[in-house]
Amino acid sequence: MKRADLIIVGGGMAAARLVQRLGALGYPGQVTVICEESQFGYNRVLLPGYVGGECEWHELAAGAVEQQLDLVVHTSSRALAVDVERKAVILPTSELRYEQLVFATGSRVPAPACLANVRGSNKLVLRSIADAEQLKLLCKDTGEAVVLGAGLLGLEAANALLGLGMSVKLVHRNPRVLNRQLDSQGSDLLQNQLEAKGFEFYLNRQIASAELDPNDRIRAVVLDQGERLTTDVLLLATGSTPNTEMARAAGIECRHGIAIDAHLQTSSAGHYAIGECAEFSGETCGLVAPTHIQADVLAENLCGGTARYLPPALATRLKVSGIELFSAGDLSNGGDEVCINSSDHSIYRRLRFEGETLSGAVLLGDIAGARSIEEKIGQVVSEPREREQLVFGL
């Protein structure tokens, strides 16, 4: 019976980062990765840019793994189940035994209830390189696209489709674009800049139904306020749902995600979870920074350390050509604020303080000093000159 010291179930960015750090730290055991896709560990964040032709496949590929790591990667391989008692991963034609196991099973895009049973061949998500290739194929000729969701991925995907010559309509159930990352003024200014680029928004709307043509393609969607939007492509960018089914079936505690402690351990000793499938203190992570920190902490602990995971202040950068945007921390109202808004509304900089602590920031049109601001979120900034430097990006 084949046995690994460590099995990682999942082959996305969290798994790739963990493998890289294990190699860098000199992990002495044998590591096996079970990756459902044909490619292991590429950078999914760059998928919209790949669709839009702004980057090539080699730019998405993961960094080199340290050679001293004893690593086996099974691509195009699907784990069916995990047997916690026997410490075995069940594959379609075999099983692998292990000493320790990491769930890095990622997440999936949820579909609205009205679309759950609609199988339209032009209904897509953008989660994998296969999705990106299919999207590029469907959009090789100019046409119409509807993007459901105006969060980070929705906006970046819409920008890629615009770059391919598509006309793009975005349907968003919130009254504001990028509502999780921006304050109301920043959101309004961003919307204006995006509309000037050709984005068309239907805010505070949801899809009520879809119409299919005889070839099983969605030809139009109807919104809950009656608008009918014709389309050649329907792209879902409606957030993420952690893939917990395998862990849950194995008897491991799951809430919205797989429950983990500060050492990234699940309710079962020797079983860990990182990335979008994991939940720490009631929160799951959908951004790269916390995923990387989780992988780094777990790698250190698997190599004998006692590191603890502390969620970072979340920072967001929008990758849309011609628009610079950075946001971080808590942007709710209240506290002390310093705000710059240029007369033509091309630049908006707002820093929010709670007492002397920098709690949040949004920079639009001018992101000078973003790295320094990100490092200072949650820290005391008492000197007037230091505050001035942060506000003006000096």
Side-chain angles (χ1 to χ4, degrees):
M1 182 67 64
K2 295 181 180 180
R3 178 180 294 272
D5 294 292
L6 177 69
I7 285 182
I8 303 171
V9 181
M13 293 177 66
R17 176 73 174 202
L18 178 58
V19 165
Q20 290 168 2
R21 293 304 301 156
L22 289 172
L25 294 173
Y27 179 75
Q30 197 275 322
V31 179
T32 295
V33 176
I34 302 173
C35 175
E36 194 165 333
E37 293 187 59
S38 60
Q39 302 288 341
F40 167 58
Y42 57 87
N43 189 346
R44 298 179 196 274
V45 174
L46 298 179
L47 284 173
Y50 178 72
V51 170
E54 296 176 1
C55 58
E56 302 295 331
W57 163 247
H58 66 85
E59 297 176 69
L60 277 67
V65 176
E66 295 291 333
Q67 294 299 311
Q68 64 264 33
L69 186 65
D70 182 5
L71 175 68
V72 176
V73 178
H74 296 281
T75 54
S76 302
S77 181
R78 182 167 179 259
L80 301 179
V82 171
D83 188 325
V84 170
E85 298 298 325
R86 295 174 54 242
K87 289 191 172 182
V89 176
I90 312 304
L91 303 175
T93 59
S94 63
E95 64 179 46
L96 298 175
R97 304 295 290 271
Y98 60 86
E99 295 299 325
Q100 295 177 302
L101 181 139
V102 179
F103 291 98
T105 47
S107 65
R108 62 188 181 276
V109 178
C114 65
L115 296 177
N117 297 319
V118 176
R119 303 182 62 87
S121 58
N122 57 339
K123 183 184 80 170
L124 302 175
V125 298
L126 186 54
R127 294 286 301 172
S128 69
I129 191 65
D131 295 333
E133 296 290 5
Q134 187 178 1
L135 188 57
K136 289 173 70 174
L137 184 63
L138 284 174
C139 299
K140 65 181 179 180
D141 299 318
T142 57
E144 299 176 295
V146 170
V147 177
L148 183 55
L152 199 61
L153 177 58
L155 295 181
E156 292 180 355
N159 184 64
L161 296 177
L162 279 173
L164 294 175
M166 305 286 285
S167 67
V168 182
K169 302 176 179 67
L170 292 101
V171 179
H172 193 50
R173 65 182 180 182
N174 195 279
R176 297 192 287 112
V177 304
L178 218 62
N179 52 284
R180 292 187 176 183
Q181 289 84 10
L182 294 180
D183 59 4
S184 58
Q185 189 169 4
S187 179
D188 290 342
L189 294 173
L190 175 62
Q191 181 182 338
N192 291 337
Q193 293 186 19
L194 292 171
E195 287 175 338
K197 289 176 62 67
F199 288 61
E200 185 177 342
F201 291 100
Y202 291 81
L203 302 179
N204 204 24
R205 304 285 203 283
Q206 298 187 59
I207 290 181
S209 62
E211 301 174 7
L212 273 65
D213 67 15
N215 297 316
D216 194 33
R217 290 170 58 91
I218 296 174
R219 64 183 179 185
V221 295
V222 179
L223 306 187
D224 55 356
Q225 295 189 27
E227 299 97 329
R228 181 180 181 272
L229 309 180
T230 58
T231 188
D232 298 300
V233 174
L234 176 62
L235 180 66
L236 304 187
T238 48
S240 61
T241 299
N243 292 324
T244 62
E245 291 79 7
M246 190 180 304
R248 198 182 299 272
I252 290 173
E253 181 185 356
C254 296
R255 300 176 190 130
H256 181 57
I258 303 171
I260 55 171
D261 63 16
H263 299 290
L264 292 311
Q265 183 164 271
T266 69
S267 60
S268 176
H271 295 80
Y272 307 87
I274 58 174
E276 293 181 336
C277 67
E279 178 181 329
F280 176 73
S281 289
E283 297 290 335
T284 55
C285 62
L287 297 175
V288 174
T291 291
H292 280 185
I293 294 172
Q294 288 181 357
D296 294 351
V297 168
L298 182 55
E300 184 174 335
N301 292 343
L302 290 172
C303 291
T306 57
R308 297 176 64 87
Y309 171 63
L310 179 64
L314 297 182
T316 299
R317 288 173 172 82
L318 179 68
K319 292 178 286 297
V320 170
S321 56
I323 295 178
E324 293 187 303
L325 172 68
F326 166 86
S327 72
D330 181 4
L331 295 170
S332 57
N333 294 323
D336 299 323
E337 298 182 358
V338 182
C339 186
I340 297 173
N341 192 354
S342 64
S343 58
D344 63 355
H345 305 301
S346 63
I347 294 176
Y348 174 67
R349 295 174 65 92
R350 175 190 170 214
L351 273 65
R352 177 176 179 268
F353 295 87
E354 294 182 5
E356 295 185 336
T357 300
L358 177 61
S359 58
V362 55
L363 312 177
L364 176 61
D366 174 14
I367 61 170
R371 183 175 295 277
S372 297
I373 290 172
E374 184 176 353
E375 292 172 351
K376 289 290 185 179
I377 295 291
Q379 296 186 22
V380 171
V381 183
S382 57
E383 292 293 330
R385 179 168 176 78
E386 186 178 11
R387 285 197 178 197
E388 180 180 314
Q389 290 174 331
L390 292 177
V391 170
F392 289 96
L394 301 178

